PDB file of all heavy atoms in Angstrom:
ATOM      1  N   THR V   1       0.492  42.063  15.649  1.00 98.00           N
ATOM      2  CA  THR V   1      -0.921  41.877  15.849  1.00 98.00           C
ATOM      3  C   THR V   1      -1.519  42.840  16.783  1.00 98.00           C
ATOM      4  O   THR V   1      -2.552  43.342  16.658  1.00 98.00           O
ATOM      5  CB  THR V   1      -1.104  40.367  16.389  1.00 98.00           C
ATOM      6  OG1 THR V   1      -0.615  39.442  15.357  1.00 98.00           O
ATOM      7  CG2 THR V   1      -2.536  40.104  16.734  1.00 98.00           C
ATOM      8  N   GLU V   2      -0.729  43.198  17.834  1.00 98.00           N
ATOM      9  CA  GLU V   2      -1.246  44.244  18.867  1.00 98.00           C
ATOM     10  C   GLU V   2      -1.434  45.548  18.251  1.00 98.00           C
ATOM     11  O   GLU V   2      -2.401  46.192  18.619  1.00 98.00           O
ATOM     12  CB  GLU V   2      -0.208  44.324  19.943  1.00 98.00           C
ATOM     13  CG  GLU V   2      -0.708  45.221  21.088  1.00 98.00           C
ATOM     14  CD  GLU V   2       0.404  45.264  22.282  1.00 98.00           C
ATOM     15  OE1 GLU V   2       1.403  44.640  22.071  1.00 98.00           O
ATOM     16  OE2 GLU V   2      -0.005  45.873  23.194  1.00 98.00           O
ATOM     17  N   ARG V   3      -0.711  45.854  17.197  1.00 98.00           N
ATOM     18  CA  ARG V   3      -0.794  47.165  16.610  1.00 98.00           C
ATOM     19  C   ARG V   3      -1.554  47.258  15.269  1.00 98.00           C
ATOM     20  O   ARG V   3      -1.834  48.260  14.766  1.00 98.00           O
ATOM     21  CB  ARG V   3       0.701  47.765  16.377  1.00 98.00           C
ATOM     22  CG  ARG V   3       1.366  47.985  17.656  1.00 98.00           C
ATOM     23  CD  ARG V   3       2.863  48.131  17.408  1.00 98.00           C
ATOM     24  NE  ARG V   3       3.627  48.538  18.670  1.00 98.00           N
ATOM     25  CZ  ARG V   3       3.854  47.699  19.587  1.00 98.00           C
ATOM     26  NH1 ARG V   3       3.497  46.336  19.564  1.00 98.00           N
ATOM     27  NH2 ARG V   3       4.489  48.014  20.729  1.00 98.00           N
ATOM     28  N   SER V   4      -1.802  45.986  14.740  1.00 98.00           N
ATOM     29  CA  SER V   4      -2.477  45.942  13.370  1.00 98.00           C
ATOM     30  C   SER V   4      -3.799  46.379  13.372  1.00 98.00           C
ATOM     31  O   SER V   4      -4.681  45.944  14.370  1.00 98.00           O
ATOM     32  CB  SER V   4      -2.347  44.553  12.802  1.00 98.00           C
ATOM     33  OG  SER V   4      -3.090  44.361  11.710  1.00 98.00           O
ATOM     34  N   PRO V   5      -4.311  47.195  12.359  1.00 98.00           N
ATOM     35  CA  PRO V   5      -5.786  47.594  12.207  1.00 98.00           C
ATOM     36  C   PRO V   5      -6.501  46.377  11.658  1.00 98.00           C
ATOM     37  O   PRO V   5      -7.767  46.588  11.506  1.00 98.00           O
ATOM     38  CB  PRO V   5      -5.759  48.828  11.382  1.00 98.00           C
ATOM     39  CG  PRO V   5      -4.497  48.642  10.450  1.00 98.00           C
ATOM     40  CD  PRO V   5      -3.443  47.880  11.379  1.00 98.00           C
ATOM     41  N   LEU V   6      -5.792  45.361  11.236  1.00 98.00           N
ATOM     42  CA  LEU V   6      -6.522  44.255  10.553  1.00 98.00           C
ATOM     43  C   LEU V   6      -6.259  42.954  11.346  1.00 98.00           C
ATOM     44  O   LEU V   6      -5.155  42.782  11.952  1.00 98.00           O
ATOM     45  CB  LEU V   6      -6.101  44.106   9.067  1.00 98.00           C
ATOM     46  CG  LEU V   6      -6.420  45.217   8.035  1.00 98.00           C
ATOM     47  CD1 LEU V   6      -5.734  44.974   6.707  1.00 98.00           C
ATOM     48  CD2 LEU V   6      -7.826  45.420   7.956  1.00 98.00           C
ATOM     49  N   PRO V   7      -7.062  42.051  11.343  1.00 98.00           N
ATOM     50  CA  PRO V   7      -6.763  40.680  11.968  1.00 98.00           C
ATOM     51  C   PRO V   7      -5.652  40.072  11.206  1.00 98.00           C
ATOM     52  O   PRO V   7      -5.513  40.071  10.072  1.00 98.00           O
ATOM     53  CB  PRO V   7      -8.121  39.948  11.743  1.00 98.00           C
ATOM     54  CG  PRO V   7      -8.922  40.533  10.650  1.00 98.00           C
ATOM     55  CD  PRO V   7      -8.528  41.984  10.752  1.00 98.00           C
ATOM     56  N   VAL V   8      -4.745  39.495  12.055  1.00 98.00           N
ATOM     57  CA  VAL V   8      -3.512  38.776  11.570  1.00 98.00           C
ATOM     58  C   VAL V   8      -3.646  37.225  11.963  1.00 98.00           C
ATOM     59  O   VAL V   8      -3.785  36.904  13.066  1.00 98.00           O
ATOM     60  CB  VAL V   8      -2.349  39.374  12.218  1.00 98.00           C
ATOM     61  CG1 VAL V   8      -1.109  38.664  11.630  1.00 98.00           C
ATOM     62  CG2 VAL V   8      -2.258  40.890  11.877  1.00 98.00           C
ATOM     63  N   PHE V   9      -3.599  36.480  10.847  1.00 98.00           N
ATOM     64  CA  PHE V   9      -3.878  35.084  10.923  1.00 98.00           C
ATOM     65  C   PHE V   9      -2.493  34.201  10.894  1.00 98.00           C
ATOM     66  O   PHE V   9      -1.597  34.608  10.107  1.00 98.00           O
ATOM     67  CB  PHE V   9      -4.813  34.430   9.861  1.00 98.00           C
ATOM     68  CG  PHE V   9      -6.215  34.637  10.350  1.00 98.00           C
ATOM     69  CD1 PHE V   9      -6.839  35.929  10.397  1.00 98.00           C
ATOM     70  CD2 PHE V   9      -7.051  33.579  10.746  1.00 98.00           C
ATOM     71  CE1 PHE V   9      -8.120  36.120  10.705  1.00 98.00           C
ATOM     72  CE2 PHE V   9      -8.385  33.681  11.062  1.00 98.00           C
ATOM     73  CZ  PHE V   9      -8.922  35.041  11.084  1.00 98.00           C
ATOM     74  N   ALA V  10      -2.425  33.199  11.626  1.00 98.00           N
ATOM     75  CA  ALA V  10      -1.274  32.255  11.561  1.00 98.00           C
ATOM     76  C   ALA V  10      -1.613  31.132  10.596  1.00 98.00           C
ATOM     77  O   ALA V  10      -2.697  30.509  10.643  1.00 98.00           O
ATOM     78  CB  ALA V  10      -0.988  31.634  12.906  1.00 98.00           C
ATOM     79  N   ASP V  11      -0.665  30.820   9.695  1.00 97.00           N
ATOM     80  CA  ASP V  11      -0.676  29.778   8.756  1.00 97.00           C
ATOM     81  C   ASP V  11       0.552  28.765   8.925  1.00 97.00           C
ATOM     82  O   ASP V  11       0.380  27.836   9.792  1.00 97.00           O
ATOM     83  CB  ASP V  11      -0.811  30.180   7.346  1.00 97.00           C
ATOM     84  CG  ASP V  11      -1.109  28.974   6.412  1.00 97.00           C
ATOM     85  OD1 ASP V  11      -1.149  27.788   6.805  1.00 97.00           O
ATOM     86  OD2 ASP V  11      -1.163  29.211   5.166  1.00 97.00           O
ATOM     87  N   GLU V  12       1.710  29.246   8.405  1.00 95.00           N
ATOM     88  CA  GLU V  12       2.806  28.399   8.632  1.00 95.00           C
ATOM     89  C   GLU V  12       3.273  28.340  10.136  1.00 95.00           C
ATOM     90  O   GLU V  12       3.908  27.356  10.482  1.00 95.00           O
ATOM     91  CB  GLU V  12       3.983  29.058   7.830  1.00 95.00           C
ATOM     92  CG  GLU V  12       3.912  28.718   6.289  1.00 95.00           C
ATOM     93  CD  GLU V  12       3.094  29.839   5.621  1.00 95.00           C
ATOM     94  OE1 GLU V  12       2.406  30.695   6.296  1.00 95.00           O
ATOM     95  OE2 GLU V  12       3.154  29.811   4.338  1.00 95.00           O
ATOM     96  N   SER V  13       2.869  29.369  10.912  1.00 97.00           N
ATOM     97  CA  SER V  13       3.253  29.241  12.415  1.00 97.00           C
ATOM     98  C   SER V  13       2.372  28.290  13.180  1.00 97.00           C
ATOM     99  O   SER V  13       2.673  28.006  14.249  1.00 97.00           O
ATOM    100  CB  SER V  13       3.069  30.688  13.042  1.00 97.00           C
ATOM    101  OG  SER V  13       3.975  31.708  12.509  1.00 97.00           O
ATOM    102  N   PHE V  14       1.299  27.880  12.501  1.00 98.00           N
ATOM    103  CA  PHE V  14       0.294  27.025  13.187  1.00 98.00           C
ATOM    104  C   PHE V  14       0.153  25.694  12.446  1.00 98.00           C
ATOM    105  O   PHE V  14      -0.073  25.685  11.224  1.00 98.00           O
ATOM    106  CB  PHE V  14      -1.160  27.728  13.220  1.00 98.00           C
ATOM    107  CG  PHE V  14      -2.221  26.961  13.705  1.00 98.00           C
ATOM    108  CD1 PHE V  14      -2.317  26.635  15.057  1.00 98.00           C
ATOM    109  CD2 PHE V  14      -3.113  26.371  12.765  1.00 98.00           C
ATOM    110  CE1 PHE V  14      -3.288  25.800  15.527  1.00 98.00           C
ATOM    111  CE2 PHE V  14      -4.122  25.530  13.341  1.00 98.00           C
ATOM    112  CZ  PHE V  14      -4.211  25.281  14.585  1.00 98.00           C
ATOM    113  N   GLN V  15       0.205  24.587  13.251  1.00 97.00           N
ATOM    114  CA  GLN V  15      -0.002  23.304  12.673  1.00 97.00           C
ATOM    115  C   GLN V  15      -1.147  22.477  13.340  1.00 97.00           C
ATOM    116  O   GLN V  15      -2.150  22.187  12.647  1.00 97.00           O
ATOM    117  CB  GLN V  15       1.354  22.476  12.863  1.00 97.00           C
ATOM    118  CG  GLN V  15       2.602  23.118  12.241  1.00 97.00           C
ATOM    119  CD  GLN V  15       2.537  23.155  10.666  1.00 97.00           C
ATOM    120  OE1 GLN V  15       2.064  22.263  10.046  1.00 97.00           O
ATOM    121  NE2 GLN V  15       2.797  24.376  10.096  1.00 97.00           N
ATOM    122  N   ARG V  16      -0.958  22.199  14.553  1.00 98.00           N
ATOM    123  CA  ARG V  16      -1.789  21.297  15.236  1.00 98.00           C
ATOM    124  C   ARG V  16      -2.539  21.913  16.480  1.00 98.00           C
ATOM    125  O   ARG V  16      -2.208  23.010  16.952  1.00 98.00           O
ATOM    126  CB  ARG V  16      -1.094  19.962  15.521  1.00 98.00           C
ATOM    127  CG  ARG V  16      -0.444  19.359  14.262  1.00 98.00           C
ATOM    128  CD  ARG V  16       0.008  17.924  14.499  1.00 98.00           C
ATOM    129  NE  ARG V  16      -1.147  17.149  15.083  1.00 98.00           N
ATOM    130  CZ  ARG V  16      -1.013  15.759  15.229  1.00 98.00           C
ATOM    131  NH1 ARG V  16       0.120  15.197  14.926  1.00 98.00           N
ATOM    132  NH2 ARG V  16      -2.104  15.118  15.632  1.00 98.00           N
ATOM    133  N   LEU V  17      -3.251  20.950  17.210  1.00 98.00           N
ATOM    134  CA  LEU V  17      -4.091  21.369  18.286  1.00 98.00           C
ATOM    135  C   LEU V  17      -3.249  21.905  19.398  1.00 98.00           C
ATOM    136  O   LEU V  17      -3.511  22.992  20.085  1.00 98.00           O
ATOM    137  CB  LEU V  17      -4.820  20.121  18.860  1.00 98.00           C
ATOM    138  CG  LEU V  17      -5.656  20.329  20.169  1.00 98.00           C
ATOM    139  CD1 LEU V  17      -6.778  21.352  19.908  1.00 98.00           C
ATOM    140  CD2 LEU V  17      -6.227  19.016  20.491  1.00 98.00           C
ATOM    141  N   THR V  18      -1.998  21.427  19.644  1.00 96.00           N
ATOM    142  CA  THR V  18      -1.217  21.843  20.692  1.00 96.00           C
ATOM    143  C   THR V  18      -0.640  23.285  20.513  1.00 96.00           C
ATOM    144  O   THR V  18      -0.070  23.854  21.432  1.00 96.00           O
ATOM    145  CB  THR V  18       0.039  20.901  20.929  1.00 96.00           C
ATOM    146  OG1 THR V  18       0.709  20.734  19.681  1.00 96.00           O
ATOM    147  CG2 THR V  18      -0.520  19.536  21.583  1.00 96.00           C
ATOM    148  N   ASP V  19      -0.676  23.775  19.287  1.00 98.00           N
ATOM    149  CA  ASP V  19      -0.241  25.213  18.924  1.00 98.00           C
ATOM    150  C   ASP V  19      -1.296  26.268  19.283  1.00 98.00           C
ATOM    151  O   ASP V  19      -0.928  27.433  19.385  1.00 98.00           O
ATOM    152  CB  ASP V  19       0.046  25.313  17.455  1.00 98.00           C
ATOM    153  CG  ASP V  19       1.286  24.324  17.099  1.00 98.00           C
ATOM    154  OD1 ASP V  19       2.066  24.187  17.815  1.00 98.00           O
ATOM    155  OD2 ASP V  19       1.203  23.916  15.820  1.00 98.00           O
ATOM    156  N   VAL V  20      -2.447  25.938  19.581  1.00 98.00           N
ATOM    157  CA  VAL V  20      -3.560  27.009  19.662  1.00 98.00           C
ATOM    158  C   VAL V  20      -3.173  27.933  20.813  1.00 98.00           C
ATOM    159  O   VAL V  20      -3.145  29.160  20.583  1.00 98.00           O
ATOM    160  CB  VAL V  20      -4.895  26.227  19.808  1.00 98.00           C
ATOM    161  CG1 VAL V  20      -6.012  27.426  20.039  1.00 98.00           C
ATOM    162  CG2 VAL V  20      -5.231  25.507  18.552  1.00 98.00           C
ATOM    163  N   LEU V  21      -3.076  27.370  22.034  1.00 96.00           N
ATOM    164  CA  LEU V  21      -2.901  28.244  23.143  1.00 96.00           C
ATOM    165  C   LEU V  21      -1.582  28.979  23.157  1.00 96.00           C
ATOM    166  O   LEU V  21      -1.581  30.137  23.670  1.00 96.00           O
ATOM    167  CB  LEU V  21      -3.123  27.443  24.473  1.00 96.00           C
ATOM    168  CG  LEU V  21      -4.479  26.846  24.735  1.00 96.00           C
ATOM    169  CD1 LEU V  21      -4.564  26.095  26.016  1.00 96.00           C
ATOM    170  CD2 LEU V  21      -5.626  28.010  24.643  1.00 96.00           C
ATOM    171  N   ARG V  22      -0.618  28.363  22.592  1.00 96.00           N
ATOM    172  CA  ARG V  22       0.598  29.155  22.602  1.00 96.00           C
ATOM    173  C   ARG V  22       0.710  30.394  21.706  1.00 96.00           C
ATOM    174  O   ARG V  22       1.504  31.252  21.708  1.00 96.00           O
ATOM    175  CB  ARG V  22       1.913  28.284  22.324  1.00 96.00           C
ATOM    176  CG  ARG V  22       1.986  27.808  20.870  1.00 96.00           C
ATOM    177  CD  ARG V  22       3.157  26.964  20.747  1.00 96.00           C
ATOM    178  NE  ARG V  22       3.296  26.585  19.259  1.00 96.00           N
ATOM    179  CZ  ARG V  22       4.034  27.205  18.301  1.00 96.00           C
ATOM    180  NH1 ARG V  22       4.554  28.394  18.704  1.00 96.00           N
ATOM    181  NH2 ARG V  22       3.956  26.814  17.146  1.00 96.00           N
ATOM    182  N   LEU V  23      -0.316  30.341  20.723  1.00 98.00           N
ATOM    183  CA  LEU V  23      -0.465  31.451  19.758  1.00 98.00           C
ATOM    184  C   LEU V  23      -1.525  32.481  20.122  1.00 98.00           C
ATOM    185  O   LEU V  23      -1.721  33.401  19.489  1.00 98.00           O
ATOM    186  CB  LEU V  23      -0.820  30.848  18.383  1.00 98.00           C
ATOM    187  CG  LEU V  23       0.286  30.013  17.708  1.00 98.00           C
ATOM    188  CD1 LEU V  23      -0.102  29.591  16.321  1.00 98.00           C
ATOM    189  CD2 LEU V  23       1.716  30.696  17.680  1.00 98.00           C
ATOM    190  N   LYS V  24      -2.215  32.186  21.263  1.00 97.00           N
ATOM    191  CA  LYS V  24      -3.122  33.238  21.803  1.00 97.00           C
ATOM    192  C   LYS V  24      -2.400  34.477  22.114  1.00 97.00           C
ATOM    193  O   LYS V  24      -1.363  34.483  22.817  1.00 97.00           O
ATOM    194  CB  LYS V  24      -3.803  32.591  23.080  1.00 97.00           C
ATOM    195  CG  LYS V  24      -4.626  33.625  23.775  1.00 97.00           C
ATOM    196  CD  LYS V  24      -5.887  34.212  23.083  1.00 97.00           C
ATOM    197  CE  LYS V  24      -6.662  35.114  24.023  1.00 97.00           C
ATOM    198  NZ  LYS V  24      -7.866  35.627  23.188  1.00 97.00           N
TER     199      LYS V  24
END
């Protein structure tokens, strides 16, 4: 994500509310 020229989205890595900040 740090090097990508395009936005990179989480799908399978992301489930619920408690996941948001750890994926920041």
